[in-house]
Amino acid sequence: MSKLTNYFRETAEEMRYKVTWPSMEELQKSAGLVLLGSLIFAVVVGVMDVIFKEGLEAFYNSFL
C-alpha cells in the first residue's frame, strides 16, 4: 500500500512543480488549430463520401 501512496504523492509533486503548463493564450490558439483541422478533415471526408457514393451509383446503374 505504501508503494501506491508514494506513487500518488510523487505524481502530485511532479504535476505541481515539474510540468510546464501552457498559458491561456497558447491553449486558445491550440484549440483553434484543432477545431480548424477537424473541420477541414470533416469536409474532405464528406466530399470523398459524396464522390464515392455518386461513382458507385453510376457503376451500379450501368448494369441495370
Side-chain angles (χ1 to χ4, degrees), residues 31-62:
L33 286 173
V34 168
L35 179 62
L36 181 63
S38 297
L39 289 174
I40 290 171
F41 183 74
V43 168
V44 168
V45 169
V47 168
M48 289 172 51
D49 183 49
V50 170
I51 290 171
F52 286 134
K53 177 183 167 255
E54 295 298 323
L56 286 174
E57 283 181 359
F59 177 74
Y60 291 143
N61 287 336
S62 68

Side-chain angles (χ1 to χ4, degrees), residues 6-44:
N6 190 32
Y7 170 76
F8 283 117
R9 188 178 314 123
E10 288 178 359
T11 300
E13 182 180 321
E14 185 170 343
M15 295 297 281
R16 264 190 223 125
Y17 302 114
K18 295 182 181 178
V19 173
T20 304
W21 297 99
S23 67
M24 183 60 87
E25 183 179 325
E26 290 173 326
L27 286 174
Q28 289 174 340
K29 286 180 182 178
S30 296
L33 286 173
V34 168
L35 179 62
L36 181 63
S38 297
L39 289 174
I40 290 171
F41 183 74
V43 168
V44 168

